[in-house]
Amino acid sequence: MFSKIKNYISKNTGILIRLDDIAENMNWDLMKKSELLFDKYNIKPVLGVIPNNKDNELLSYQKKKDFWDQVRKWKNKGWEIAMHGFTHVYDNNTKNQDYFGYGGGSEFFGHTLEVQTDKISSGLKKFNEENIKIRSFFAPNHTYDKNTFNALRNSGINEIIDGYGLMPYVENDIKFIPQLFYRLHLLPFGIQSTQIHLNYWKQKDFDNFEIFIEKHLEKIITYEQALKKINNNLIYKFINVLSEKILKIKRKSNF
Ligand SMILES: [Zn+2]
């Protein structure tokens, strides 16, 4: 009995490495180091690529001329390329009314279905022009509304790397892979994703990342493996709601 439980926990514990804000302008020094680290341990991360980056803050980083060649190389290594917004420019404030209650700036929340569909399809067009097939999405600043989900489905995307809970789940006909913590953290149970912003990292953060990777190597999973763990059991739905409540309280109280 005990070994069965242990086996169940072990089979259902894993972390997907998600890198955010991958664009022509970014911290290429740390990206190169990350790539060497992933290759060394055969890790296949998810990269959130911004198809048409217009975010002034991000544009201040070093520009890579052959960016899309590089994205294709990553894709050919079996890394998962996801769409991370369209321009990454926030033109709305959700005032905590967004789907996951993150609040703050948003590129999508509050816009009509037509506007949101236009943003998503323009992003998809760029990936198609570059011959890069994508199937997943996550919005800048985690901010969505129902129109975002409809716009994504209209464009044939039904996988999102965001959300609460301990296991990937399906809601609004969309598959969600939970992303819970800002910091690198592996829970003793469950399948979730990191969010890593190399642009904000110093060498020390990268060193800590390397230690994290080496320590949890056996628990690092691929995007495909995460999708296979989709579980809509009632108990997990209850845990999803619970984790949402706890994290929202935690965020509001800022501890
Ligand atoms: Zn972002």
Side-chain angles (χ1 to χ4, degrees), residues 38-56:
F38 298 150
D39 287 348
K40 181 175 172 190
Y41 292 112
N42 196 25
I43 290 165
K44 300 190 193 317
V46 176
L47 303 186
V49 173
I50 307 167
N52 183 33
N53 178 30
K54 299 280 182 209
D55 183 328
N56 273 331

Side-chain angles (χ1 to χ4, degrees), residues 106-252:
S106 181
E107 184 184 352
F108 291 88
F109 173 91
H111 287 294
T112 62
L113 177 62
E114 202 183 2
V115 168
Q116 297 204 42
T117 304
D118 188 55
K119 288 180 190 234
I120 304 278
S121 58
S122 303
L124 256 186
K125 192 168 164 261
K126 179 64 184 164
F127 283 102
N128 287 335
E129 280 167 8
E130 295 296 344
N131 214 5
I132 294 163
K133 269 212 166 63
I134 63 138
R135 52 180 169 173
S136 55
F137 176 89
F138 57 96
N141 205 23
H142 315 269
T143 44
Y144 309 78
D145 61 17
K146 284 278 169 85
N147 279 340
T148 324
F149 301 145
N150 289 331
L152 285 165
R153 276 196 312 262
N154 288 348
S155 308
I157 298 176
N158 63 0
E159 296 169 16
I160 289 179
I161 308 144
D162 241 334
Y164 298 103
L166 290 183
M167 293 301 265
Y169 59 95
V170 178
E171 207 170 82
N172 300 298
D173 287 323
I174 288 179
K175 297 167 184 172
F176 289 89
I177 293 169
Q179 198 292 304
L180 299 177
F181 307 113
Y182 181 70
R183 287 177 189 284
L184 286 170
H185 185 63
L186 177 72
L187 286 174
F189 177 74
I191 302 289
Q192 24 127 12
S193 165
T194 64
Q195 58 162 320
I196 290 169
H197 292 94
L198 293 178
N199 290 335
Y200 306 143
W201 274 12
K202 302 271 181 286
Q203 181 61 40
K204 179 91 188 105
D205 299 299
F206 182 81
D207 295 342
N208 288 336
F209 181 47
E210 198 164 7
I211 293 166
F212 179 88
I213 295 275
E214 282 163 1
K215 187 173 169 199
H216 299 297
L217 199 51
E218 280 180 15
K219 292 292 163 203
I220 294 169
I221 57 171
T222 64
Y223 186 69
E224 206 63 51
Q225 286 171 319
L227 283 180
K228 284 193 182 125
K229 292 295 178 185
I230 285 176
N231 196 323
N232 264 29
N233 283 348
L234 273 180
I235 182 75
Y236 287 118
K237 282 194 172 163
F238 171 73
I239 292 170
N240 287 2
V241 175
L242 197 69
S243 74
E244 178 173 351
K245 298 259 181 278
I246 293 168
L247 284 168
K248 278 182 182 171
I249 293 166
K250 196 168 183 276
R251 242 180 264 134
K252 269 188 193 138

Side-chain angles (χ1 to χ4, degrees), residues 32 34-43 77 79:
K32 191 74 225 162
S34 300
E35 183 167 3
L36 291 171
L37 181 65
F38 298 150
D39 287 348
K40 181 175 172 190
Y41 292 112
N42 196 25
I43 290 165
K77 284 187 189 193
W79 297 12

